[in-house]
Amino acid sequence: MTAAFDVVQVASLGPAFDARLAQRCRVLQTWHEPRGLAAFGTALPGIRLAVTSVRHGFTGGMFDALPDLKAVCSWGVGHDTLDLHEAARRGIGVSVTPDVLDDCVADLAWALLLSAARRTAAGDRYVKTGQWRALGQFPVTTRVSGKRLGILGLGRIGEAIARRATGFDMQVRYHNRSPRPDSPYGYAHSLVELADWADFLAVACVGGAATRHLVDAAVIRALGPRGILVNIARGSVVDQTAVLAALRSGELGGAGLDVLEREPTDAAEFADLDQVSLMPHVGSATHETRAAMADLVFDNVDSFLRTGALLTPVAAREMQA
Ligand code: NAP
């Protein structure tokens, strides 16, 4: 039965994409099955390409079920849920959807930075719940313009965050594993050094085991009581317990977080902290960007089926990391 399919789609990317893909190729859709790929037998020969999403991922037994697999096309740019090492070992190419989401994720980083500093989310609650009338003036907040912005992970999104800082007359420095010769921004050799210098620390590096808890108690201490942490990368990069403790003790000034260590969550532990602005992991979630991401997945699939090449493959260095 499965020899009739070229492509397996393990995650729905929305009705429009799903219908478009079904018109383009012979696609086996498995997301309706609670047991996923396992529901279709021990192995599915003939299928050359799999479509997934960063949320659904592609790991372990999924490779074993698809002996003829040559490519995985994923929706999203993070690859912490994709087993790149196993894909590389089997000679399977992996594509993600870079570039098209940079602006919206960077915009959200700035929304969180501004909200944490100027407390716009808390101010909104203050007005809507009648506290303005009852309690009078809202507390004084923290200036943004002219301050220092540190970026952990000056990649595509990190650069888009940095570019926006120009309009706020801010100085920018960054920390990556190695300095970028093409960058106009200053390089900090360690993350603690960067946090010590910065008023705001924006986290925009990759997630996964290699970056787990890079932002730890020492980094938070270096950022300090007037410092504000922004995370649009992955919850795993930040030691959330240490952040909470520092916010409560006043060792950290504030935080704007699009991503948390456990998702989804009601994050009750943050509920009474007005110096924290949270969003439910929606960095790329605008109509325009989501459409562009779906188009890029489709174009990768189309290119692979026509030519055997992916348009936006994960770099060889990342595949081996
Ligand atoms: P990218 O262009 O690959 O940039 C990643 C940056 O992280 C690079 O500059 C890299 O520099 C740095 N990096 C990697 N490992 C590091 C380490 N151990 N220490 C310090 N820096 C390190 O990726 P991108 O497209 O900007 O995306 C970044 C991340 O944003 C994604 O991986 C994803 O997790 C997250 N994201 C979140 C959302 C959201 O909805 N909130 C949406 C899209 C993406 P070096 O290689 O020189 O170290």
Side-chain angles (χ1 to χ4, degrees):
M1 172 195 90
T2 55
F5 297 105
D6 312 303
V7 172
V8 64
Q9 193 185 348
V10 300
S12 169
L13 304 188
F17 174 92
D18 300 345
R20 193 177 174 205
L21 189 67
Q23 276 191 336
R24 170 63 182 85
C25 56
R26 299 173 302 172
V27 56
L28 174 67
Q29 300 176 336
T30 67
W31 69 84
H32 305 292
E33 283 293 340
R35 291 193 299 131
L37 278 173
F40 296 86
T42 49
L44 299 171
I47 290 177
R48 294 185 292 143
L49 186 147
V51 172
T52 188
S53 70
V54 65
R55 297 222 176 93
H56 198 90
F58 204 90
T59 53
M62 297 165 97
F63 289 100
D64 293 329
L66 300 164
D68 297 324
L69 192 68
K70 294 287 177 284
V72 175
C73 296
S74 181
W75 175 97
V77 80
H79 34 72
D80 46 319
T81 55
L82 307 171
D83 190 341
L84 296 183
H85 194 259
E86 186 59 20
R89 198 183 69 76
R90 293 175 186 244
I92 294 169
V94 178
S95 72
V96 290
T97 57
D99 302 319
V100 294
L101 43 65
D102 298 350
D103 284 332
C104 280
V105 182
D107 290 349
L108 191 78
W110 274 94
L112 288 165
L113 187 157
L114 288 163
S115 182
R118 301 301 307 270
R119 304 206 177 175
T120 55
D124 179 78
R125 282 193 300 277
Y126 199 77
V127 177
K128 287 179 180 168
T129 59
Q131 288 175 282
W132 188 14
R133 190 190 293 274
L135 301 177
Q137 273 308 335
F138 189 65
V140 170
T141 61
T142 300
R143 179 184 169 101
V144 172
S145 291
K147 294 276 188 75
R148 294 170 166 186
L149 174 64
I151 298 179
L152 168 59
L154 191 77
R156 290 172 293 248
I157 295 170
E159 271 204 4
I161 294 171
R163 279 198 303 276
R164 283 154 175 74
T166 310
F168 289 88
D169 300 320
M170 289 171 97
Q171 297 175 60
V172 177
R173 290 186 190 172
Y174 72 100
H175 175 70
N176 283 4
R177 283 169 295 187
S178 43
R180 289 183 44 172
D182 60 330
S183 168
Y185 309 113
Y187 179 71
H189 289 272
S190 80
L191 182 51
V192 168
E193 178 192 326
L194 182 69
D196 193 40
W197 171 83
D199 299 301
F200 300 93
L201 179 65
V203 180
C205 64
V206 301
T211 57
R212 186 171 185 277
H213 287 189
L214 268 187
V215 178
D216 60 9
V219 173
I220 294 159
R221 255 195 315 279
L223 191 54
R226 300 170 79 96
I228 287 177
L229 175 72
V230 174
N231 187 7
I232 51 77
R234 285 290 180 266
S236 59
V237 184
V238 170
D239 181 343
Q240 195 168 304
T241 307
V243 166
L244 259 172
L247 287 164
R248 292 206 176 280
S249 68
E251 277 183 297
L252 178 64
L257 309 172
D258 182 42
V259 287
L260 293 169
E261 282 205 89
R262 285 168 301 286
E263 298 176 358
T265 171
D266 57 11
E269 63 273 33
F270 288 102
D272 62 331
L273 296 176
D274 274 352
Q275 70 274 46
V276 178
S277 274
L278 301 179
M279 286 295 277
H281 197 154
V282 288
S284 68
T286 62
H287 295 297
E288 297 85 346
T289 288
R290 286 291 165 86
M293 290 164 69
D295 284 349
L296 191 48
V297 175
F298 185 88
D299 291 347
N300 268 286
V301 173
D302 183 60
S303 168
F304 183 83
L305 294 179
R306 279 188 299 104
T307 69
L310 294 167
L311 296 177
T312 50
V314 175
R317 176 184 167 199
E318 299 296 336
M319 293 290 289
Q320 304 299 339

